[in-house]
Amino acid sequence: MARQLDEQISGRFPVGQRLRVLDVGMGQGTQALRLARAGHQVTGVEQDPKMVSVARAALSGEPEGIRERMRIIEGDGRDTGVHFLPGSFDVVLCHGVLMYVEEPDALLAGLARMLAPGGLLSLLVRNGDALAMRPGLSGDWAGALGAFDTVSYTNRLGLEVRADRLDALTATLAGIGAPLHAWYGVRVFTDTAADGAEIPADVEALLAAEERAGRTDPYRRVAALLHLCGVRG
Ligand SMILES: C[S@@+](CC[C@H](N)C(=O)[O-])C[C@H]1O[C@@H](n2cnc3c(N)ncnc32)[C@H](O)[C@@H]1O
């Protein structure tokens, strides 16, 4: 995931350019901090005050140069127009958030407006075309059968949320002026691994296999998550 994002960033922007990055639904800020450490100017927006505190605590432990490059705003990702001017960012991330948003098109249109021409919109969503894979590979046949004709699912936190289909998102991205430029599957082979499972000794080979499958048809189509990259025209 991080490797795919870096690949898209380095393919679009000159090496060493300090990019203006907006991370919507930043959670504890892992990705945002990584990009700030890499020299970019990062703004994180997060609606959960607990997550904001965790992200602020993590940032406070960073050297001054990195602290100065990162800003954290407590707020709703649907309100970016209140905080920023259109075209203010080179890269907008929205990772693991869309499933919680009832009407994603308005959020996405707002995020596309935040991008400067040529800017990158990076989305990580649950793959609505392959919801039967997780129950099916776990031997939950009733669950698998029930997952074919729906885009709702119960996530690992027990919340009823929504997955998104590749075709629908492709059409949305085209309609909001940030057409799909590249996409990847994420968690093709490892989706059924237990939370907190021990890291295997051959983790490098595992990551290489995931990485390869994530960019190869047909494997990427049945990944648990999709990483979509749109580019502002
Ligand atoms: C699964 S976490 C993902 C965190 C991080 N982006 C990552 O990839 O690790 C989803 C986060 O999105 C936040 N979120 C959900 N809806 C949001 C909204 N409308 N505006 C801002 N944050 C939101 C949640 O509070 C949560 O912290």
Side-chain angles (χ1 to χ4, degrees):
M1 171 66 218
R3 202 183 301 180
Q4 298 161 356
L5 182 61
D6 291 346
E7 173 180 290
Q8 289 299 320
I9 287 176
S10 62
R12 300 214 64 70
F13 304 102
V15 178
Q17 182 178 335
R18 177 173 291 191
L19 300 170
R20 299 160 297 167
V21 179
L22 175 65
D23 187 354
V24 170
M26 75 184 307
Q28 55 191 13
T30 310
Q31 202 65 240
L33 257 181
R34 189 182 74 82
L35 291 168
R37 286 188 193 120
H40 303 301
Q41 190 82 42
V42 183
T43 302
V45 174
E46 168 58 52
Q47 71 176 12
D48 181 345
K50 282 192 219 111
M51 285 294 169
V52 168
S53 303
V54 174
R56 289 211 166 111
L59 183 60
S60 69
E62 293 289 324
E64 192 183 346
I66 294 171
R67 289 202 310 271
E68 281 170 357
R69 282 203 295 279
M70 186 157 151
R71 197 161 50 134
I72 298 173
I73 295 177
E74 186 176 325
D76 192 316
R78 290 170 290 195
D79 297 336
T80 47
V82 173
H83 300 289
F84 319 108
L85 290 172
S88 308
F89 295 94
D90 305 300
V91 177
V92 173
L93 313 181
C94 184
H95 291 173
V97 179
L98 226 56
M99 43 285 264
Y100 299 104
V101 177
E102 268 177 34
E103 287 176 17
D105 289 11
L107 168 74
L108 291 173
L111 299 187
R113 272 196 293 278
M114 289 300 118
L115 283 171
L120 179 72
L121 176 59
S122 166
L123 303 176
L124 186 68
V125 305
R126 182 85 159 92
N127 183 3
D129 294 322
L131 284 179
M133 292 299 288
R134 188 181 291 175
L137 290 176
S138 310
D140 170 10
W141 309 121
L145 283 169
F148 279 100
D149 301 312
T150 177
V151 286
S152 30
Y153 69 101
T154 304
N155 72 8
R156 290 177 200 243
L157 303 173
L159 300 171
E160 176 92 356
V161 287
R162 193 201 60 256
D164 287 283
R165 294 188 187 274
L166 180 61
D167 286 353
L169 276 181
T170 303
T172 301
L173 289 173
I176 61 176
L180 187 67
H181 167 76
W183 69 275
Y184 310 85
V186 175
R187 283 211 243 132
V188 178
F189 301 126
T190 51
D191 188 45
T192 52
D195 285 342
E198 230 171 77
I199 295 176
D202 58 352
V203 65
E204 285 305 321
L206 178 159
L207 292 174
E210 276 287 345
E211 170 72 16
R212 180 77 192 266
R215 53 182 76 237
T216 308
D217 280 326
Y219 306 99
R220 62 180 181 163
R221 290 193 173 269
V222 295
L225 304 169
L226 299 176
H227 179 195
L228 278 69
C229 299
V231 173
R232 178 92 178 147

